[in-house]
Amino acid sequence: MPLESLVDHIDELISQITNLTSNLQNIPYPRVKQNIRFSGQNYVNGLKIAKEVITNCIVKRASLLSSVQRKDGRTLPPEEIIRSYWLDQVSGCYRTVERFNTDITTQANPSMPYELYHWLFDLFDRLGLDVTIVLQDSNQYTNDSFEKAIVEPLMPLLKVAKEPLLPGSLLQVETKDFVNAYPIKLGYVISFIKGEACNPLLWPLLIHEVFHITDKEKALMTSHNSPTKGEIPILHENKTVNSRWISEIFADIMAIHYVGPMYAFSLMDYFERVPYVQTIQYPEMCVRLYSVYCYLESVRSTYTDIVHRCLDSFKAKIGEKVLEYEESGELSEEKKEKLEDIYQKISGWFPLLRVNSFKQTLREYVLTAKSVGFENRTNSKFAPFPHLVFSYDEIDNLIFRDRISLAIHPNILLNVILSNLGKYNRHIHYDVLVDSIKKWKIKQAWERSIQNLK
Amino acid sequence: MASFSRLESLLSTVASGITGIGLWKDYGIKTPELKYFIESLGEIQLSVSALAPSPPMKHYNTAIELVYSRLLAKLPLFKEQDASENDLEEALKDAKELHGLLSAVYNDLRTCAISV
C-alpha cells in the first residue's frame, strides 16, 4: 500500500506515547500526572485520526484516480499520483504527527517545575473552571485547546474527503466521522518559552494565558454583561481586530489584578527582550503597558506594605517608559483617555470572577493567620510557621538572606522579589521559590482538611 | 497568536490548492480540494497577518502579501469552467510559492520566540 511506511511510523508513535504516559514516575503530583495522561490520550486519538486521514483522504482517493485518464491520455499508478499531487499534504501530515509526539514528550518532561501547576490549578479552581490544562515547552507564550492543537491541522483533508472526488460521479471514498470515532477531549495546552522556564520573573505571563482560557471557557467577551459590550472605546475600526485587542488588554488587566505589580514587570521585561510589533492580533506595546500602568496608578491602601514597596521600586521605571511613548506621540492624550476608560470598565468587572485580587490575597494571608490565633511572632526563624504572619522585612530576610522557603502565596513572594531585584539571584533563589510553592500547597491542603473537620 | 497547529492547517489548505490546481490542469477535473482552497483564501490572508511579526516574519510579510494578491486576482479564473494551461501553470506556481513561504515561516517560528 502507498504510504505504508508513514502509517507504520504513526503506529510506532502511538505506542511511544502510550508507553510514555503510562510511565510517569518522575511526576510527583497525581493531578499533574492525570492531566498529562489525559493529554496523551488526546494525542493518541489525534494520531489515529491522522492515520485515517492518510489512508482514506489521500491513499484511497489517489487509488480511485488511478482509473481516470489524464488529459494527455495517461493513467498513473496511485504512488505516482500521490507523489505528483499530494506530496505537500503527505509531508504536512508527517510534520503534524511528529509535532504531536514532540508536544506530549515536552509536556511529560517540561523545563518548568511541576510546582507551577499548583499555582495555576489554584486559580482555575477559584475561577470555578474544571478544565484540564498541561504546560508545554515551546518558544512562545500561548494557549491552545487540544482540539485546535490536534484536529485543526487535519481539518482541510477531512473536509475535502467528505465530498466526491469527481463532482457528480460515484468516485467517492466513504469516510467515517473520524473526529467522533477518536474524540479529542476538552482541555488546553499552555505553552511557555523553554529558555525562560526557570525564570520566575516571567512566570506571571502564564497567568495572562489562564485569563485567555477563562475568557474562552466562560465566553466572557461575548456574554451579555461583557465589558466589551456597550460603550467600550474603539481602538480599531475593524470589529474583529478591536475585539482581539480588547481581549489582550482584558487578559493583561485581569492578570495584574490577580498577580499584582509583578505582572507589569514581567510584561515589560519580556517586551524589552523580544521585538514586539502591533498586529491585527496584538495592540501596540504602549497600549498594553499603559493598561497595566493604570493599575499601578490606581492601587492604593493595603494590609501590608508590600504593594507600596513594589510600587516604589517599579512604578517609576514603567512611568519612564510611558513618558517615552507620550513624547514620541505613540501614546496620545486621546488614546490614554480611551485606555483609562477601558481599564475602568474591565477592572470593575474583576470582582465578578470571584477571584482574589492581589490585595485580597494579602488580606487573606493576614486574616487566615489571625483567625487561628497564630499571629504572635516566634523568635525562631526555623519554625514551621504554618500560620505565622511575616512582615515584609521578615519575608525579605528569610528569602534573600537565609534562603528559607515560605508557605506563602506565590503572588506575594513574587512581588517581594520585585521590590528586591537587587538582591535577587535566579540561580540561588529559584529553588527557594519552588520549595515555597510546595510548602504553600501543603499548607493550603492542611487548612482545607481542618475546615472539613470543622 | 498563530500557533503551530494554525500554521499547519494553513499549510494544508494551501497544499489542497496545489492538489486541486494540479488535478484541474492535468486531469481537467475540478475536485473538492480546489473548491476548499477557493473558499479558504480569505482565511489564509487573515491568519497570515495575525502572525506576530518578529524581524524574520517582517522579511516574509511582503513576499507573502505579493503572492497572496496574485492568487486572489486569479479567483475569477478558478470559478471558470475551463482555464488555459498557461493560467493554471501560473496559479500552481503561485500556490507552491505561498506554500514555500509559509513553510519557511513555520520553520522560523520553531526557532524564534515571539509573542505573549
Side-chain angles (χ1 to χ4, degrees):
Chain A
M1 185 191 88
L3 304 182
E4 198 171 352
S5 151
L6 177 55
V7 171
D8 286 349
H9 179 60
I10 293 178
D11 279 332
E12 175 55 30
L13 291 178
I14 291 174
S15 133
Q16 273 183 34
I17 294 178
T18 309
N19 284 341
L20 176 79
T21 52
S22 59
N23 187 16
L24 298 170
Q25 277 107 338
N26 58 325
I27 303 175
Y29 307 110
R31 191 170 169 189
V32 178
K33 217 181 267 197
Q34 186 187 323
N35 283 16
I36 293 168
R37 288 210 172 107
F38 175 100
S39 172
Q41 188 53 53
N42 274 343
Y43 282 103
V44 163
N45 281 353
L47 288 170
K48 288 177 180 169
I49 297 172
K51 214 170 110 174
E52 299 284 6
V53 160
I54 290 162
T55 312
N56 292 284
C57 308
I58 298 178
V59 176
K60 285 189 182 169
R61 284 164 74 80
S63 301
L64 285 181
L65 207 56
S66 63
S67 62
V68 179
Q69 264 192 352
R70 293 194 342 166
K71 284 201 283 191
D72 60 8
R74 289 174 63 208
T75 53
L76 303 181
E79 290 82 357
E80 203 177 329
I81 291 174
I82 292 171
R83 205 167 46 246
S84 303
Y85 303 102
W86 269 280
L87 194 68
D88 293 311
Q89 297 282 25
V90 174
S91 63
C93 282
Y94 182 76
R95 178 174 43 219
T96 297
V97 296
E98 282 301 319
R99 178 182 56 79
F100 289 176
N101 190 40
T102 311
D103 282 0
I104 186 65
T105 307
T106 65
Q107 287 167 20
N109 303 285
S111 308
M112 234 172 214
Y114 293 115
E115 283 71 17
L116 273 185
Y117 271 97
H118 297 318
W119 186 36
L120 305 186
F121 285 159
D122 180 66
L123 177 53
F124 277 114
D125 291 346
R126 284 172 186 269
L127 285 161
L129 279 180
D130 184 19
V131 289
T132 302
I133 55 129
V134 285
L135 292 170
Q136 181 180 297
D137 283 13
S138 179
N139 58 3
Q140 49 186 289
Y141 290 95
T142 185
N143 70 86
D144 248 340
S145 67
F146 280 115
E147 203 188 342
K148 283 211 160 186
I150 296 172
V151 182
E152 195 177 15
L154 304 170
M155 273 326 270
L157 278 163
L158 285 167
K159 279 183 185 165
V160 162
K162 280 184 182 161
E163 294 184 42
L165 182 60
L166 302 177
S169 84
L170 294 175
L171 284 182
Q172 182 180 9
V173 175
E174 213 176 295
T175 55
K176 281 193 299 181
D177 186 348
F178 302 125
V179 181
N180 245 346
Y182 307 109
I184 306 298
K185 290 186 191 157
L186 182 69
Y188 292 88
V189 180
I190 298 179
S191 304
F192 56 85
I193 295 177
K194 184 179 166 71
E196 303 287 6
C198 297
N199 177 7
L201 302 185
L202 292 193
W203 286 349
L205 297 179
L206 293 173
I207 301 296
H208 172 96
E209 303 304 331
V210 170
F211 281 109
H212 271 311
I213 293 173
T214 310
D215 179 18
K216 289 176 188 171
E217 279 293 304
K218 297 197 171 195
L220 296 174
M221 290 288 116
T222 49
S223 70
H224 66 283
N225 59 349
S226 161
T228 61
K229 295 251 166 158
E231 294 178 4
I232 197 96
I234 306 291
L235 293 175
H236 194 283
E237 65 277 9
N238 180 298
K239 268 188 180 175
T240 312
V241 176
N242 194 58
S243 129
R244 285 174 178 172
W245 285 9
I246 297 287
S247 168
E248 287 302 323
I249 296 171
F250 165 84
D252 284 336
I253 292 175
M254 291 293 141
I256 198 165
H257 269 81
Y258 178 69
V259 178
M262 183 64 193
Y263 178 75
F265 175 86
S266 304
L267 201 61
M268 190 167 153
D269 197 37
Y270 185 66
F271 286 167
E272 277 179 352
R273 55 180 82 187
V274 171
Y276 176 99
V277 187
Q278 171 199 320
T279 65
I280 60 166
Q281 189 75 34
Y282 297 96
E284 297 157 278
M285 191 199 291
C286 67
V287 163
R288 293 183 63 184
L289 280 184
Y290 192 72
S291 300
V292 295
Y293 183 70
C294 287
Y295 168 86
L296 301 180
E297 279 278 284
S298 66
V299 68
R300 289 281 181 268
S301 62
T302 167
Y303 284 80
T304 76
D305 50 2
I306 293 177
V307 170
H308 288 304
R309 303 262 190 136
C310 292
L311 291 178
D312 288 348
S313 63
F314 183 59
K315 200 171 142 190
K317 196 182 169 198
I318 196 167
E320 280 171 24
K321 197 81 192 161
V322 167
L323 193 65
E324 273 176 36
Y325 288 130
E326 285 171 351
E327 285 173 354
S328 69
E330 287 174 78
L331 199 56
S332 64
E333 280 306 311
E334 187 198 0
K335 200 181 274 178
K336 276 167 61 183
E337 272 173 30
K338 281 183 180 181
L339 292 170
E340 283 158 20
D341 194 5
I342 292 170
Y343 176 80
Q344 286 303 327
K345 289 193 163 85
I346 292 181
S347 60
W349 211 47
F350 187 84
L352 296 177
L353 292 179
R354 294 181 189 157
V355 176
N356 279 354
S357 66
F358 177 58
K359 278 166 62 180
Q360 285 166 322
T361 303
L362 286 171
R363 184 172 182 268
E364 195 175 79
Y365 168 63
V366 174
L367 293 185
T368 309
K370 283 190 173 164
S371 69
V372 288
F374 277 86
E375 71 271 32
N376 293 329
R377 306 267 158 77
T378 169
N379 288 327
S380 168
K381 65 186 178 188
F382 297 110
F385 49 77
H387 288 292
L388 192 65
V389 180
F390 291 112
S391 69
Y392 172 87
D393 288 327
E394 283 168 324
I395 297 176
D396 179 359
N397 282 335
L398 285 164
I399 295 279
F400 291 104
R401 189 191 61 200
D402 304 328
R403 297 175 199 175
I404 293 176
S405 51
L406 301 174
I408 294 176
H409 197 293
N411 292 354
I412 299 176
L413 291 182
L414 286 169
N415 281 283
V416 172
I417 287 180
L418 173 64
S419 57
N420 277 291
L421 281 176
K423 294 183 196 169
Y424 170 73
N425 179 323
R426 187 201 293 200
H427 304 290
I428 295 172
H429 300 113
Y430 169 80
D431 287 339
V432 177
L433 267 173
V434 172
D435 283 344
S436 292
I437 298 177
K438 219 182 286 181
K439 281 188 180 176
W440 162 70
K441 185 66 200 166
I442 293 167
K443 180 185 164 192
Q444 204 182 43
W446 185 73
E447 280 166 2
R448 280 181 190 158
S449 60
I450 295 286
Q451 275 169 7
N452 289 342
L453 282 176
K454 283 178 186 170
Chain B
M1 88 132 263
S3 54
F4 295 126
S5 56
R6 185 81 200 99
L7 261 173
E8 285 165 17
S9 170
L10 276 180
L11 280 162
S12 181
T13 302
V14 179
S16 293
I18 295 173
T19 307
I21 299 168
L23 291 174
W24 191 17
K25 183 172 84 67
D26 294 341
Y27 284 82
I29 53 174
K30 292 174 90 172
T31 60
E33 279 85 354
L34 184 66
K35 189 178 153 206
Y36 180 78
F37 177 64
I38 295 168
E39 285 169 357
S40 311
L41 259 180
E43 192 194 333
I44 293 171
Q45 186 191 32
L46 197 68
S47 302
V48 168
S49 51
L51 298 168
S54 62
M57 263 307 297
K58 271 188 170 173
H59 166 73
Y60 295 117
N61 275 347
T62 322
I64 288 174
E65 271 171 33
L66 207 68
V67 67
Y68 177 78
S69 60
R70 286 206 304 267
L71 275 170
L72 208 60
K74 291 188 176 79
L75 209 55
L77 166 83
F78 295 143
K79 289 176 182 167
E80 293 291 322
Q81 202 51 45
D82 292 305
S84 74
E85 180 91 10
N86 209 23
D87 282 344
L88 290 175
E89 193 62 61
E90 282 288 311
L92 193 59
K93 203 176 127 205
D94 286 340
K96 282 183 178 173
E97 192 181 332
L98 183 59
H99 192 271
L101 285 165
L102 289 174
S103 298
V105 170
Y106 183 87
N107 292 337
D108 270 12
L109 291 189
R110 287 202 83 93
T111 51
C112 83
I114 41 169
S115 204
V116 60

